[in-house]
Structure formats: C-alpha cells, structure tokens
Amino acid sequence: MTYDLTDVNVLKNLLSRHGFTFSKALGQNFITDPAVCPKMAELSGITGDDCAIEIGPGVGVLTTELAKRAKKVVSIELDRRLLPVLARTLEEYRNAEVVCADVLKTDLRELVKEHFAPGDRVFVCANLPYYVTSPILMHLLESGVPFAGLTLMVQKEAGQRLTAPIGSRDAGAVTYAVQYYAESRMLFEVGRSSYTPAPQVDSCVVQLTPRDKPPVEVADEAFFFRTVKAAFSQRRKTAANGLSSGLGLPKDKVAEALVAAGLSPSVRAEALTMEEMAGLADKLRGKGPEARGQGPGNGPAD
Ligand code: SAM
C-alpha cells in the first residue's frame, strides 16, 4: 500500500494508529507540501546508479522520493517510535533501508562501507532537525566520506549563513568551515506552512558540492576551525577580543599575530577573507595553551 504522506489527514491517521506524537525536542516538523520533496530529490542530482544517505526520514516523505530515483537509500533516524511507521510507508521500496541511530554518533565511513558498494557515488539529501544543524553539517563534512553532493533543508537564516559570500554581513564561523570543504548555493525557499506541525520559522534548501581540495592551506586544520570560531565569538567586538577569550591568549599576543599576518589589530572577523583567516590561524598557532591545541575542544562552528 502506498501512502500520500503529504495529505495531512493520511499523515495524522497513520501517526495516531501508531500512537505517535510529535517531539519538538527532536525537531519533528514533517513536510506536507507535495511540491517540496520531489523538487529537492530532483535537484539533488541523484541518478539510478547513485546511492543516498538521508538524515531524519520522519515518516519517509522525502525517503520515498529518493528511493524512486536512487539505486539505494539509507536513512538514519534517531526516534525509535518512527520505525514501525517507516516499515509501513517504505514497504514497497525494496531499495530503502532505515538505520536507527543518532547521526552524530554514527561513523559515516563505516556506514558507507557497510551499505554501499565500492565506487558508488554517495549523495546526502535531508531535511535536517534544526536543533543540531551545524553539528550535523560539520559531522558530514569532516567524515572523510567523499560525498558527491549534499542537498539540505535548513532554517532560512542558517541557509543564508551557509551560502553567504565570505566578507559579507551574513557570513559567520560556519560559512568559513563550510566553504573550506565545499562550494555552497541556495536552491529554494520553503515557507513554514509547508510543514505539519508548522514551525515558527521559514526554511530553505541549500546544496553543497565538496571541493577536491580546500581553497587555502593551513598548518593545522583543527586549529584553523578553532580560530574561526573564536574570531566570531564576540560578533559586536573586534576579532582580537574573541580570539583572546576563545583561544585563551593574552591580548598582546593576539595583536602581534594580527600584525604578523598583515592585518589591523582592530579588524572585525567578518572582514577577513578565507586566506587572511588561514594566515592568522597559522600565526596564532603555538602562542598559548589552547593555541597549541591543549585547551578544551570548541566543537563545531555555529
Ligand atoms: N524528513 C522528514 C520530512 O522531511 O518530513 C522529517 C524531517 S524532521 C525536520 C527531522 C527528523 O530528524 C525527525 O524525524 C527526527 O526524529 C530526526 N532526528 C532528530 N535528531 C536526529 C539525530 N541526531 N539523528 C538522526 N535523526 C534525528
């Protein structure tokens, strides 16, 4: 039996038969606009020879569109309560498999090895749970899996950050991190009324195309990301303030590094090009405990 998962009555009946109630904490807003998932799957570039990883299938509304196009789809869903629902909605899609796990705790290289054949092109296509957008994004980009492309639905403001040109007002720490790994572009916007239940915010779909090699060379990648995050940590102040507190360095050491990198000590983080940020990270490296990589980890960029 096939279900029209974009019909709100069908969706509500299906969920109530399984005693399922939406979890806000898990970012459960399901797409019920019939135009969105086919468009997203189509623009992902996935063909019948390709494989797809989906994060957070919900009831499978995007999964079925991916399964119609891909050779194989593996969807990672954290909420165990959705498994019996997905077993029904994906019954007819023999090429769709669900893995019950937290994507952030999933070794994606292992998952790819286990589920796909060597040489398969692997895409990611997902409507992400918004409470963990940046961590998931960094987990994907840092996984070392050579994804062919990532097509992701995210909150509109997050999408604007991800696709902002570096040096523009919308750029943030995550912009540098993403552009280090991939080229990004905005595909289309999705209004809040396209979901059930409707969230408080609008969304958009962005596409990331991983680069063959990063646009800049840095001595220490992890430290480069810590530098970016620290530089943006006090957005209303100069980069030096954020770098000093974020990296645990005395202000004079930060000023020294800025000057050595050919920058003004009062420069703002958003004014730095990727090359300048990379040069600055290299000059800051080794100037203090955190800058030697011995301080607490900062986690993924926001
Ligand atoms: N793909 C569906 C759609 O478009 O209607 C649902 C998207 S909903 C915004 C996000 C989904 O991610 C939910 O099904 C939620 O349970 C799941 N999720 C939340 N946190 C997760 C995590 N850490 N790992 C895997 N799935 C997660």
PDB file of all heavy atoms in Angstrom, residues 26-31 37 54-58 61-62 76-79 82 101-104 127-129 131-132, ligand 1:
ATOM      1  N   LEU A  26      13.108  16.893  19.163  1.00  0.00           N
ATOM      2  CA  LEU A  26      13.823  16.215  18.071  1.00  0.00           C
ATOM      3  C   LEU A  26      13.618  16.929  16.729  1.00  0.00           C
ATOM      4  O   LEU A  26      13.982  16.400  15.683  1.00  0.00           O
ATOM      5  CB  LEU A  26      13.384  14.752  17.967  1.00  0.00           C
ATOM      6  CG  LEU A  26      13.854  13.831  19.092  1.00  0.00           C
ATOM      7  CD1 LEU A  26      13.351  12.406  18.879  1.00  0.00           C
ATOM      8  CD2 LEU A  26      15.387  13.818  19.173  1.00  0.00           C
ATOM      9  N   GLY A  27      13.012  18.111  16.785  1.00  0.00           N
ATOM     10  CA  GLY A  27      12.840  18.897  15.551  1.00  0.00           C
ATOM     11  C   GLY A  27      11.888  18.235  14.573  1.00  0.00           C
ATOM     12  O   GLY A  27      12.116  18.256  13.364  1.00  0.00           O
ATOM     13  N   GLN A  28      10.812  17.622  15.120  1.00  0.00           N
ATOM     14  CA  GLN A  28       9.921  16.871  14.231  1.00  0.00           C
ATOM     15  C   GLN A  28       8.835  17.737  13.603  1.00  0.00           C
ATOM     16  O   GLN A  28       7.736  17.895  14.132  1.00  0.00           O
ATOM     17  CB  GLN A  28       9.327  15.680  14.989  1.00  0.00           C
ATOM     18  CG  GLN A  28      10.397  14.615  15.245  1.00  0.00           C
ATOM     19  CD  GLN A  28       9.926  13.466  16.071  1.00  0.00           C
ATOM     20  OE1 GLN A  28       8.901  13.549  16.760  1.00  0.00           O
ATOM     21  NE2 GLN A  28      10.674  12.372  16.062  1.00  0.00           N
ATOM     22  N   ASN A  29       9.146  18.296  12.464  1.00  0.00           N
ATOM     23  CA  ASN A  29       8.183  19.002  11.625  1.00  0.00           C
ATOM     24  C   ASN A  29       8.271  18.302  10.272  1.00  0.00           C
ATOM     25  O   ASN A  29       9.343  18.280   9.670  1.00  0.00           O
ATOM     26  CB  ASN A  29       8.543  20.484  11.482  1.00  0.00           C
ATOM     27  CG  ASN A  29       8.666  21.166  12.832  1.00  0.00           C
ATOM     28  OD1 ASN A  29       9.758  21.252  13.381  1.00  0.00           O
ATOM     29  ND2 ASN A  29       7.560  21.598  13.377  1.00  0.00           N
ATOM     30  N   PHE A  30       7.176  17.698   9.857  1.00  0.00           N
ATOM     31  CA  PHE A  30       7.223  16.864   8.650  1.00  0.00           C
ATOM     32  C   PHE A  30       6.667  17.631   7.448  1.00  0.00           C
ATOM     33  O   PHE A  30       5.676  18.362   7.565  1.00  0.00           O
ATOM     34  CB  PHE A  30       6.430  15.567   8.874  1.00  0.00           C
ATOM     35  CG  PHE A  30       6.998  14.689   9.984  1.00  0.00           C
ATOM     36  CD1 PHE A  30       6.223  13.696  10.562  1.00  0.00           C
ATOM     37  CD2 PHE A  30       8.305  14.846  10.442  1.00  0.00           C
ATOM     38  CE1 PHE A  30       6.731  12.883  11.574  1.00  0.00           C
ATOM     39  CE2 PHE A  30       8.834  14.041  11.454  1.00  0.00           C
ATOM     40  CZ  PHE A  30       8.037  13.059  12.013  1.00  0.00           C
ATOM     41  N   ILE A  31       7.288  17.434   6.313  1.00  0.00           N
ATOM     42  CA  ILE A  31       6.871  18.138   5.096  1.00  0.00           C
ATOM     43  C   ILE A  31       5.525  17.591   4.608  1.00  0.00           C
ATOM     44  O   ILE A  31       5.369  16.386   4.421  1.00  0.00           O
ATOM     45  CB  ILE A  31       7.944  17.953   3.987  1.00  0.00           C
ATOM     46  CG1 ILE A  31       9.179  18.790   4.297  1.00  0.00           C
ATOM     47  CG2 ILE A  31       7.385  18.303   2.619  1.00  0.00           C
ATOM     48  CD1 ILE A  31       9.015  20.280   4.078  1.00  0.00           C
ATOM     49  N   CYS A  37       9.353  17.811  -1.640  1.00  0.00           N
ATOM     50  CA  CYS A  37      10.290  16.668  -1.658  1.00  0.00           C
ATOM     51  C   CYS A  37      10.666  16.218  -3.077  1.00  0.00           C
ATOM     52  O   CYS A  37      11.849  15.940  -3.330  1.00  0.00           O
ATOM     53  CB  CYS A  37       9.753  15.520  -0.802  1.00  0.00           C
ATOM     54  SG  CYS A  37       9.754  15.977   0.940  1.00  0.00           S
ATOM     55  N   GLU A  54      20.085   9.631   3.917  1.00  0.00           N
ATOM     56  CA  GLU A  54      19.155  10.650   4.406  1.00  0.00           C
ATOM     57  C   GLU A  54      19.273  10.693   5.926  1.00  0.00           C
ATOM     58  O   GLU A  54      19.459   9.654   6.565  1.00  0.00           O
ATOM     59  CB  GLU A  54      17.716  10.281   4.011  1.00  0.00           C
ATOM     60  CG  GLU A  54      16.714  11.349   4.422  1.00  0.00           C
ATOM     61  CD  GLU A  54      15.260  10.896   4.389  1.00  0.00           C
ATOM     62  OE1 GLU A  54      14.985   9.676   4.301  1.00  0.00           O
ATOM     63  OE2 GLU A  54      14.386  11.771   4.500  1.00  0.00           O
ATOM     64  N   ILE A  55      19.179  11.895   6.482  1.00  0.00           N
ATOM     65  CA  ILE A  55      19.208  12.020   7.947  1.00  0.00           C
ATOM     66  C   ILE A  55      17.819  12.458   8.390  1.00  0.00           C
ATOM     67  O   ILE A  55      17.290  13.454   7.872  1.00  0.00           O
ATOM     68  CB  ILE A  55      20.269  13.060   8.365  1.00  0.00           C
ATOM     69  CG1 ILE A  55      21.654  12.537   7.982  1.00  0.00           C
ATOM     70  CG2 ILE A  55      20.199  13.347   9.862  1.00  0.00           C
ATOM     71  CD1 ILE A  55      22.625  13.624   7.662  1.00  0.00           C
ATOM     72  N   GLY A  56      17.240  11.709   9.309  1.00  0.00           N
ATOM     73  CA  GLY A  56      15.928  12.061   9.829  1.00  0.00           C
ATOM     74  C   GLY A  56      14.813  11.881   8.816  1.00  0.00           C
ATOM     75  O   GLY A  56      14.237  12.862   8.339  1.00  0.00           O
ATOM     76  N   PRO A  57      14.463  10.633   8.479  1.00  0.00           N
ATOM     77  CA  PRO A  57      13.409  10.421   7.476  1.00  0.00           C
ATOM     78  C   PRO A  57      12.006  10.779   7.958  1.00  0.00           C
ATOM     79  O   PRO A  57      11.111  10.960   7.137  1.00  0.00           O
ATOM     80  CB  PRO A  57      13.507   8.917   7.181  1.00  0.00           C
ATOM     81  CG  PRO A  57      14.115   8.319   8.412  1.00  0.00           C
ATOM     82  CD  PRO A  57      15.069   9.360   8.929  1.00  0.00           C
ATOM     83  N   GLY A  58      11.810  10.872   9.293  1.00  0.00           N
ATOM     84  CA  GLY A  58      10.453  11.145   9.803  1.00  0.00           C
ATOM     85  C   GLY A  58       9.554   9.993   9.417  1.00  0.00           C
ATOM     86  O   GLY A  58       9.792   8.837   9.769  1.00  0.00           O
ATOM     87  N   VAL A  61       8.616  10.851   3.874  1.00  0.00           N
ATOM     88  CA  VAL A  61       8.089  11.615   2.734  1.00  0.00           C
ATOM     89  C   VAL A  61       9.172  11.950   1.708  1.00  0.00           C
ATOM     90  O   VAL A  61       8.926  11.895   0.489  1.00  0.00           O
ATOM     91  CB  VAL A  61       7.317  12.877   3.243  1.00  0.00           C
ATOM     92  CG1 VAL A  61       8.240  13.847   3.957  1.00  0.00           C
ATOM     93  CG2 VAL A  61       6.592  13.580   2.117  1.00  0.00           C
ATOM     94  N   LEU A  62      10.376  12.252   2.176  1.00  0.00           N
ATOM     95  CA  LEU A  62      11.485  12.504   1.251  1.00  0.00           C
ATOM     96  C   LEU A  62      12.140  11.177   0.841  1.00  0.00           C
ATOM     97  O   LEU A  62      12.575  11.009  -0.293  1.00  0.00           O
ATOM     98  CB  LEU A  62      12.517  13.442   1.916  1.00  0.00           C
ATOM     99  CG  LEU A  62      13.811  13.724   1.150  1.00  0.00           C
ATOM    100  CD1 LEU A  62      13.533  14.401  -0.203  1.00  0.00           C
ATOM    101  CD2 LEU A  62      14.738  14.625   1.980  1.00  0.00           C
ATOM    102  N   ILE A  76      18.942   7.520   8.284  1.00  0.00           N
ATOM    103  CA  ILE A  76      19.331   7.401   9.698  1.00  0.00           C
ATOM    104  C   ILE A  76      18.303   8.152  10.547  1.00  0.00           C
ATOM    105  O   ILE A  76      18.168   9.375  10.423  1.00  0.00           O
ATOM    106  CB  ILE A  76      20.733   8.023   9.930  1.00  0.00           C
ATOM    107  CG1 ILE A  76      21.753   7.416   8.964  1.00  0.00           C
ATOM    108  CG2 ILE A  76      21.171   7.856  11.382  1.00  0.00           C
ATOM    109  CD1 ILE A  76      23.082   8.163   8.916  1.00  0.00           C
ATOM    110  N   GLU A  77      17.580   7.431  11.377  1.00  0.00           N
ATOM    111  CA  GLU A  77      16.537   8.063  12.203  1.00  0.00           C
ATOM    112  C   GLU A  77      16.801   7.757  13.679  1.00  0.00           C
ATOM    113  O   GLU A  77      16.980   6.599  14.056  1.00  0.00           O
ATOM    114  CB  GLU A  77      15.151   7.547  11.785  1.00  0.00           C
ATOM    115  CG  GLU A  77      13.997   8.006  12.658  1.00  0.00           C
ATOM    116  CD  GLU A  77      13.872   9.527  12.792  1.00  0.00           C
ATOM    117  OE1 GLU A  77      13.690  10.198  11.765  1.00  0.00           O
ATOM    118  OE2 GLU A  77      13.978  10.051  13.933  1.00  0.00           O
ATOM    119  N   LEU A  78      16.804   8.803  14.483  1.00  0.00           N
ATOM    120  CA  LEU A  78      17.080   8.646  15.915  1.00  0.00           C
ATOM    121  C   LEU A  78      15.866   8.128  16.686  1.00  0.00           C
ATOM    122  O   LEU A  78      16.003   7.357  17.634  1.00  0.00           O
ATOM    123  CB  LEU A  78      17.523  10.012  16.479  1.00  0.00           C
ATOM    124  CG  LEU A  78      17.753  10.120  17.971  1.00  0.00           C
ATOM    125  CD1 LEU A  78      18.842   9.164  18.438  1.00  0.00           C
ATOM    126  CD2 LEU A  78      18.148  11.541  18.346  1.00  0.00           C
ATOM    127  N   ASP A  79      14.678   8.547  16.286  1.00  0.00           N
ATOM    128  CA  ASP A  79      13.484   8.242  17.069  1.00  0.00           C
ATOM    129  C   ASP A  79      12.944   6.848  16.725  1.00  0.00           C
ATOM    130  O   ASP A  79      12.317   6.633  15.689  1.00  0.00           O
ATOM    131  CB  ASP A  79      12.418   9.319  16.783  1.00  0.00           C
ATOM    132  CG  ASP A  79      11.247   9.221  17.738  1.00  0.00           C
ATOM    133  OD1 ASP A  79      11.120   8.195  18.451  1.00  0.00           O
ATOM    134  OD2 ASP A  79      10.454  10.181  17.775  1.00  0.00           O
ATOM    135  N   LEU A  82       9.476   5.890  15.313  1.00  0.00           N
ATOM    136  CA  LEU A  82       9.115   6.034  13.899  1.00  0.00           C
ATOM    137  C   LEU A  82       9.399   4.757  13.087  1.00  0.00           C
ATOM    138  O   LEU A  82       8.961   4.655  11.946  1.00  0.00           O
ATOM    139  CB  LEU A  82       9.872   7.224  13.278  1.00  0.00           C
ATOM    140  CG  LEU A  82       9.351   8.593  13.701  1.00  0.00           C
ATOM    141  CD1 LEU A  82      10.348   9.688  13.361  1.00  0.00           C
ATOM    142  CD2 LEU A  82       8.007   8.891  13.031  1.00  0.00           C
ATOM    143  N   ALA A 101      19.637   5.318  14.637  1.00  0.00           N
ATOM    144  CA  ALA A 101      20.852   5.812  15.306  1.00  0.00           C
ATOM    145  C   ALA A 101      20.837   7.332  15.355  1.00  0.00           C
ATOM    146  O   ALA A 101      20.088   7.994  14.626  1.00  0.00           O
ATOM    147  CB  ALA A 101      22.083   5.353  14.528  1.00  0.00           C
ATOM    148  N   ASP A 102      21.691   7.858  16.222  1.00  0.00           N
ATOM    149  CA  ASP A 102      21.945   9.296  16.263  1.00  0.00           C
ATOM    150  C   ASP A 102      23.021   9.550  15.203  1.00  0.00           C
ATOM    151  O   ASP A 102      24.122   8.986  15.303  1.00  0.00           O
ATOM    152  CB  ASP A 102      22.458   9.661  17.659  1.00  0.00           C
ATOM    153  CG  ASP A 102      22.769  11.142  17.794  1.00  0.00           C
ATOM    154  OD1 ASP A 102      22.918  11.833  16.760  1.00  0.00           O
ATOM    155  OD2 ASP A 102      22.886  11.607  18.943  1.00  0.00           O
ATOM    156  N   VAL A 103      22.725  10.378  14.219  1.00  0.00           N
ATOM    157  CA  VAL A 103      23.695  10.579  13.136  1.00  0.00           C
ATOM    158  C   VAL A 103      25.027  11.096  13.684  1.00  0.00           C
ATOM    159  O   VAL A 103      26.091  10.769  13.158  1.00  0.00           O
ATOM    160  CB  VAL A 103      23.140  11.517  12.039  1.00  0.00           C
ATOM    161  CG1 VAL A 103      22.902  12.921  12.569  1.00  0.00           C
ATOM    162  CG2 VAL A 103      24.084  11.575  10.852  1.00  0.00           C
ATOM    163  N   LEU A 104      24.972  11.868  14.773  1.00  0.00           N
ATOM    164  CA  LEU A 104      26.204  12.444  15.320  1.00  0.00           C
ATOM    165  C   LEU A 104      27.102  11.383  15.945  1.00  0.00           C
ATOM    166  O   LEU A 104      28.276  11.616  16.178  1.00  0.00           O
ATOM    167  CB  LEU A 104      25.873  13.531  16.344  1.00  0.00           C
ATOM    168  CG  LEU A 104      25.208  14.772  15.752  1.00  0.00           C
ATOM    169  CD1 LEU A 104      24.758  15.723  16.850  1.00  0.00           C
ATOM    170  CD2 LEU A 104      26.157  15.475  14.791  1.00  0.00           C
ATOM    171  N   ASN A 127      16.156  16.679   5.185  1.00  0.00           N
ATOM    172  CA  ASN A 127      15.511  17.806   5.847  1.00  0.00           C
ATOM    173  C   ASN A 127      15.999  17.725   7.299  1.00  0.00           C
ATOM    174  O   ASN A 127      15.525  16.906   8.072  1.00  0.00           O
ATOM    175  CB  ASN A 127      13.989  17.627   5.731  1.00  0.00           C
ATOM    176  CG  ASN A 127      13.219  18.669   6.497  1.00  0.00           C
ATOM    177  OD1 ASN A 127      13.783  19.619   7.033  1.00  0.00           O
ATOM    178  ND2 ASN A 127      11.903  18.481   6.566  1.00  0.00           N
ATOM    179  N   LEU A 128      16.979  18.527   7.641  1.00  0.00           N
ATOM    180  CA  LEU A 128      17.693  18.348   8.920  1.00  0.00           C
ATOM    181  C   LEU A 128      16.877  18.799  10.125  1.00  0.00           C
ATOM    182  O   LEU A 128      16.117  19.775  10.037  1.00  0.00           O
ATOM    183  CB  LEU A 128      19.003  19.154   8.896  1.00  0.00           C
ATOM    184  CG  LEU A 128      20.081  18.707   7.924  1.00  0.00           C
ATOM    185  CD1 LEU A 128      21.316  19.593   8.060  1.00  0.00           C
ATOM    186  CD2 LEU A 128      20.458  17.242   8.149  1.00  0.00           C
ATOM    187  N   PRO A 129      17.076  18.106  11.265  1.00  0.00           N
ATOM    188  CA  PRO A 129      16.495  18.619  12.514  1.00  0.00           C
ATOM    189  C   PRO A 129      17.258  19.897  12.892  1.00  0.00           C
ATOM    190  O   PRO A 129      18.485  19.872  12.989  1.00  0.00           O
ATOM    191  CB  PRO A 129      16.752  17.486  13.510  1.00  0.00           C
ATOM    192  CG  PRO A 129      17.833  16.643  12.921  1.00  0.00           C
ATOM    193  CD  PRO A 129      17.851  16.867  11.444  1.00  0.00           C
ATOM    194  N   TYR A 131      17.698  21.771  15.481  1.00  0.00           N
ATOM    195  CA  TYR A 131      18.414  21.994  16.746  1.00  0.00           C
ATOM    196  C   TYR A 131      19.879  21.536  16.664  1.00  0.00           C
ATOM    197  O   TYR A 131      20.674  21.889  17.518  1.00  0.00           O
ATOM    198  CB  TYR A 131      17.676  21.304  17.916  1.00  0.00           C
ATOM    199  CG  TYR A 131      17.828  19.791  17.940  1.00  0.00           C
ATOM    200  CD1 TYR A 131      18.661  19.172  18.875  1.00  0.00           C
ATOM    201  CD2 TYR A 131      17.156  18.978  17.037  1.00  0.00           C
ATOM    202  CE1 TYR A 131      18.818  17.795  18.897  1.00  0.00           C
ATOM    203  CE2 TYR A 131      17.302  17.609  17.052  1.00  0.00           C
ATOM    204  CZ  TYR A 131      18.140  17.021  17.979  1.00  0.00           C
ATOM    205  OH  TYR A 131      18.298  15.659  17.999  1.00  0.00           O
ATOM    206  N   VAL A 132      20.201  20.759  15.651  1.00  0.00           N
ATOM    207  CA  VAL A 132      21.593  20.295  15.516  1.00  0.00           C
ATOM    208  C   VAL A 132      22.146  20.502  14.098  1.00  0.00           C
ATOM    209  O   VAL A 132      23.011  19.747  13.655  1.00  0.00           O
ATOM    210  CB  VAL A 132      21.764  18.805  15.906  1.00  0.00           C
ATOM    211  CG1 VAL A 132      21.953  18.627  17.386  1.00  0.00           C
ATOM    212  CG2 VAL A 132      20.627  17.951  15.377  1.00  0.00           C
TER     213      VAL A 132
HETATM  214  N1  SAM B   1      12.443  14.005   6.542  1.00  0.00           N
HETATM  215  C1  SAM B   1      11.193  14.247   7.230  1.00  0.00           C
HETATM  216  C2  SAM B   1      10.424  15.305   6.480  1.00  0.00           C
HETATM  217  O1  SAM B   1      11.017  15.989   5.641  1.00  0.00           O
HETATM  218  O2  SAM B   1       9.235  15.446   6.734  1.00  0.00           O
HETATM  219  C3  SAM B   1      11.397  14.655   8.695  1.00  0.00           C
HETATM  220  C4  SAM B   1      12.317  15.815   8.938  1.00  0.00           C
HETATM  221  S1  SAM B   1      12.266  16.405  10.599  1.00  0.00           S
HETATM  222  C5  SAM B   1      12.639  18.127  10.328  1.00  0.00           C
HETATM  223  C6  SAM B   1      13.807  15.853  11.326  1.00  0.00           C
HETATM  224  C7  SAM B   1      13.913  14.344  11.582  1.00  0.00           C
HETATM  225  O3  SAM B   1      15.207  14.091  12.146  1.00  0.00           O
HETATM  226  C8  SAM B   1      12.932  13.764  12.577  1.00  0.00           C
HETATM  227  O4  SAM B   1      12.398  12.571  12.061  1.00  0.00           O
HETATM  228  C9  SAM B   1      13.755  13.475  13.846  1.00  0.00           C
HETATM  229  O5  SAM B   1      13.248  12.415  14.624  1.00  0.00           O
HETATM  230  C10 SAM B   1      15.096  13.152  13.235  1.00  0.00           C
HETATM  231  N2  SAM B   1      16.275  13.392  14.110  1.00  0.00           N
HETATM  232  C11 SAM B   1      16.412  14.326  15.080  1.00  0.00           C
HETATM  233  N3  SAM B   1      17.649  14.280  15.622  1.00  0.00           N
HETATM  234  C12 SAM B   1      18.320  13.290  14.969  1.00  0.00           C
HETATM  235  C13 SAM B   1      19.628  12.749  15.080  1.00  0.00           C
HETATM  236  N4  SAM B   1      20.513  13.252  15.974  1.00  0.00           N
HETATM  237  N5  SAM B   1      19.994  11.722  14.275  1.00  0.00           N
HETATM  238  C14 SAM B   1      19.103  11.211  13.366  1.00  0.00           C
HETATM  239  N6  SAM B   1      17.832  11.695  13.211  1.00  0.00           N
HETATM  240  C15 SAM B   1      17.447  12.713  14.002  1.00  0.00           C
END
